[in-house]
Amino acid sequence: MTLPEQEPLQLLALRSYEADEPENVYVALANGEWHGNHLYPESAADPAHALANIADAAQETVAERLWQAWPLCAEHDLGMHPRDAEGQLSWWCAGDRLRRGPAHIRAAVGALDTFVRPHRPNRKRRRAE
């Protein structure tokens, strides 16, 4: 839902070049394409740190393989970035201070597909013809 017209991203494990090293895990598109560094096994000890690494890797894969910003703020149509907000990793939007409003937290990382946009009563509606 957060990547329109795309299948969900996946974690992809690939054999290490070193025989005695564990597999390298990447965030990949559904077709197996990925970009960037692998996820570091040490981050598994801290779930918040691991989630931040996965969010960064997902953004890098989407940006480099699909040439698009992701995720986009539905209100400002701008790319968002992971940021700690009161102890929870969240998607932060810089906003458009000149026209559309200030920076804000949009949703927790992992919760964009459950986020419901607020009703905007003054928004023009298209008529069905």
Side-chain angles (χ1 to χ4, degrees):
M1 185 167 181
T2 61
L3 248 172
E5 301 177 19
Q6 296 292 322
E7 294 294 320
L9 298 174
Q10 63 178 327
L11 294 178
L12 178 67
L14 298 174
R15 190 176 332 168
S16 175
Y17 293 111
E18 303 294 325
D20 58 341
E21 292 293 319
E23 293 177 318
N24 293 319
V25 178
Y26 300 88
V27 176
L29 301 175
N31 67 4
E33 292 181 356
W34 56 269
H35 184 86
N37 295 326
H38 63 87
L39 302 173
Y40 296 100
E42 309 84 54
S43 69
D46 179 1
H49 186 68
L51 182 60
N53 286 336
I54 292 169
D56 285 336
Q59 282 190 304
E60 186 168 357
T61 292
V62 169
E64 294 297 328
R65 292 295 176 198
L66 300 177
W67 290 94
Q68 69 184 60
W70 174 85
L72 293 177
C73 174
E75 184 177 340
H76 298 110
D77 199 33
L78 296 171
M80 297 186 286
H81 302 280
R83 179 175 280 190
D84 183 274
E86 298 177 14
Q88 183 172 30
L89 189 65
S90 300
W91 292 113
W92 175 81
C93 172
D96 184 349
R97 292 181 289 267
L98 299 177
R99 293 179 283 238
R100 299 183 194 126
H104 60 101
I105 297 297
R106 189 71 182 154
V109 169
L112 278 175
D113 60 345
T114 61
F115 184 75
V116 177
R117 289 178 67 173
H119 176 66
R120 297 168 97 182
N122 295 330
R123 187 173 220 170
K124 292 181 182 179
R125 294 181 186 215
R126 293 184 182 173
R127 294 180 144 195
E129 294 184 26

